Amino acid sequence: MPLQYINELLGLPELQLQQLVSIDTKEVHLEASPVAYKQPCPLCHSEASVKRDGRNRTRQIRHLSIFGRKSYLHVPSIRMTCTRCRISFVWIYDFVGPKQRYSQAFRAQTVEQTLGSTAVHSALMQQAPVSTVQRMHQEALPKACEHLTKQAWREAEDSSNLVLGIDDFAIKKGHTYNTGIHNLRGETMLDLWAGRKLEDLRAYAQANPQFLALKPKAVVMDLAKAYHTWITECFPHAIRIADRFHVHGYVIESVQEIRKSIQHTVSPRAKATLKSHHRLLNPPIDQLCVKSKAQLESILAFSPLLRSVWEWKESFSLWYDCSPDINVARLGFMRWLGQGETLDHPAVRSTLKTMRNWQEEIVNYHHCRFTNATVEGRHNRIKAYQRRHYFTRNQECYKAGILVECNRPHLTS
């Protein structure tokens, strides 16, 4: 292939290829030089007083792969002198930083691969040392995080109907938690901080006036009292919504408690059937296939109480999906509570007590139908990131990595 086509393939207009130094099955070495003869002085920005003053050693720069081989550019390190400013400087290339051995394009491609994978995988793809890939990732992470975070906050501040989602995720289950705040409309993560107790939430609000300047229409969260107390203090006019899937979990838990209680009263064969197909009791019936519906019918036939509480659970799903407005939803919720009172079981009574205590927040779902489903999906991304990076010890890199991981699919980096 002629050198001019290779030059276009490299995408470096500031260089002109001179010759092909060597080529084998793994590497391509190309000699290149700047197209311009002189370069402006970095102080006076003039070429009139600049003269060339010889060359130092040739620089070998790793660039993007071509023809399935690693490519290396051999470029001269040209010494320049400005007679006006009386300074000497070395030719500054746009495609590579000073004293660097990897081009900007190679770094960008490597970092892009690392953000969605691991340093080991990216190093294997680029045929580069793992330590080098990790260093590139650590250098690019703060800038990418700053850009994406500013963009996410700008969208939240400019939104006229902002809906926030708040939830925590575990670093160590049962011991250490982080809390994240999310823009549910923009599907972005705004920030995260250590802790989930009320004092941790208040400390974050005091340290971040940008958060208090937001004007959310609604805030979606689970039934943790600390969250509702904190949001009432920060945004007294915002609608507090109990997350649908957390609320629904209480009803499903009562169904499973009744299933466990009747397992001890049936035959061993029926007990095995109940235990093996217990997950069929959780989803709405319209999400099951024909075979699963038949299996569900067989386990509901073991107990009238189990059938009744399952129908109570199904009516709760219908209430969520079919209530046309807040007034109808409030009446339907009261009827659903009355239906639950006919089921004489401790698990149902415990669930009804929780539902009455949080009645207003549960019904508020019908003001604006948002849930923390995207937040839970983002938590899965965070857990995968933590496993890939083995819980980065540097807290700033840990936070920046999570924010980039969560916001990169929805924002431009």
Side-chain angles (χ1 to χ4, degrees):
M1 180 181 291
L3 288 180
Q4 63 267 25
Y5 297 123
I6 300 178
N7 201 54
E8 294 178 2
L9 183 64
L10 292 175
L12 300 175
E14 63 175 314
L15 296 180
Q16 177 65 46
L17 292 181
Q18 301 296 326
Q19 63 175 336
L20 179 64
V21 178
S22 65
I23 183 171
D24 56 27
T25 58
K26 294 183 179 180
E27 297 180 356
V28 177
H29 290 260
L30 301 165
E31 182 180 342
S33 61
V35 174
Y37 181 74
K38 292 193 298 184
Q39 195 172 59
C41 172
L43 293 183
C44 63
H45 305 289
S46 173
E47 289 186 5
S49 303
V50 175
K51 65 177 183 178
R52 295 170 69 120
D53 195 21
R55 297 187 178 189
N56 293 332
R57 292 177 55 187
T58 302
R59 296 178 62 182
Q60 179 176 298
I61 310 299
R62 172 77 187 276
H63 194 49
L64 298 176
S65 299
I66 56 175
F67 315 129
R69 299 172 174 87
K70 296 188 292 184
S71 67
Y72 292 90
L73 297 175
H74 297 259
V75 295
S77 183
I78 306 172
R79 297 195 305 271
M80 314 289 291
T81 300
C82 180
T83 58
R84 178 189 298 177
C85 303
R86 295 183 179 181
I87 64 167
S88 297
F89 61 96
V90 180
W91 192 283
I92 301 173
Y93 291 96
D94 294 333
F95 78 99
V96 63
K99 299 181 180 181
Q100 291 184 353
R101 295 185 297 169
Y102 296 90
S103 67
Q104 303 289 359
F106 180 87
R107 286 173 171 269
Q109 186 183 77
T110 304
V111 170
E112 183 68 20
Q113 289 177 344
T114 309
L115 290 176
S117 180
T118 62
V120 175
H121 181 264
S122 180
L124 183 64
M125 296 289 292
Q126 297 285 23
Q127 301 180 44
V130 177
S131 59
T132 300
V133 174
Q134 288 176 333
R135 185 173 64 253
M136 291 179 181
H137 177 261
Q138 295 296 333
E139 292 173 355
L141 199 58
K143 184 177 180 180
C145 175
E146 181 181 5
H147 176 76
L148 292 175
T149 303
K150 284 184 178 179
Q151 192 174 348
W153 277 96
R154 195 182 308 115
E155 287 187 3
E157 292 167 352
D158 296 341
S159 177
S160 58
N161 292 310
L162 177 63
V163 180
L164 298 178
I166 298 176
D167 203 2
D168 55 74
F169 60 93
I171 299 179
K172 186 177 180 182
K173 198 73 172 179
H175 294 81
T176 311
Y177 291 84
N178 284 342
T179 299
I181 180 168
H182 308 259
N183 178 3
L184 297 184
R185 282 190 188 275
E187 297 186 0
T188 56
M189 187 175 190
L190 299 178
D191 207 350
L192 75 151
W193 62 93
R196 60 174 180 175
K197 296 182 180 179
L198 184 57
E199 53 267 26
D200 301 323
L201 304 176
R202 286 171 173 167
Y204 172 80
Q206 292 177 358
N208 293 272
Q210 185 182 15
F211 169 72
L212 295 176
L214 295 176
K215 298 178 181 179
K217 174 184 178 182
V219 182
V220 183
M221 48 202 147
D222 58 23
L223 301 185
K225 190 174 181 180
Y227 287 152
H228 290 265
T229 302
W230 181 55
I231 290 301
T232 303
E233 296 172 355
C234 297
F235 309 113
H237 302 294
I239 302 172
R240 291 181 290 110
I241 301 175
D243 181 44
R244 170 176 177 172
F245 295 98
H246 284 87
V247 174
H248 210 274
Y250 286 93
V251 182
I252 292 176
E253 185 178 353
S254 63
V255 176
Q256 293 295 342
E257 286 296 325
I258 292 177
R259 189 264 308 171
K260 293 176 183 177
S261 66
I262 68 172
Q263 277 184 182
H264 304 290
T265 63
V266 296
S267 65
R269 190 169 186 177
K271 179 179 179 180
T273 303
L274 280 169
K275 192 172 183 179
S276 61
H277 299 302
H278 71 277
R279 289 187 178 86
L280 296 177
L281 296 168
N282 298 342
I285 191 170
D286 56 357
Q287 295 182 5
L288 300 178
C289 62
V290 176
K291 181 179 178 181
S292 297
K293 289 179 180 179
Q295 293 172 339
L296 174 63
E297 185 62 30
S298 65
I299 63 176
L300 292 178
F302 291 135
S303 169
L305 177 60
L306 182 60
R307 181 181 292 275
S308 298
V309 74
W310 176 82
E311 292 175 349
W312 179 62
K313 186 266 298 183
E314 285 293 300
S315 63
F316 192 54
S317 299
L318 289 175
W319 172 79
Y320 261 119
D321 293 331
C322 301
S323 298
D325 55 56
I326 187 67
N327 295 322
V328 175
R330 190 172 285 108
L331 294 175
F333 188 75
M334 296 304 298
R335 286 197 296 267
W336 179 80
L337 291 177
Q339 180 183 354
E341 291 174 354
T342 62
L343 303 173
D344 187 18
H345 194 275
V348 176
R349 289 195 292 269
S350 176
T351 300
L352 288 174
K353 181 179 178 181
T354 302
M355 296 299 173
R356 291 192 185 96
N357 291 338
W358 296 96
Q359 176 178 340
E360 189 64 27
E361 289 76 10
I362 295 172
V363 175
N364 280 345
Y365 169 80
H366 297 280
H367 278 294
C368 54
R369 294 169 174 264
F370 276 91
T371 71
N372 275 345
T374 56
V375 175
E376 297 297 335
R378 203 166 290 132
H379 287 174
N380 291 333
R381 295 180 65 92
I382 293 174
K383 291 174 184 177
Y385 174 84
Q386 292 178 156
R387 288 193 294 269
R388 291 201 310 267
H389 293 265
Y390 302 102
F391 294 90
T392 307
R393 293 182 180 181
N394 188 310
Q395 292 299 314
E396 293 182 0
C397 290
Y398 171 76
K399 178 179 178 179
I402 289 179
L403 290 175
V404 171
E405 182 77 13
C406 294
N407 292 332
R408 196 169 60 94
H410 303 285
L411 300 176
T412 56
S413 59

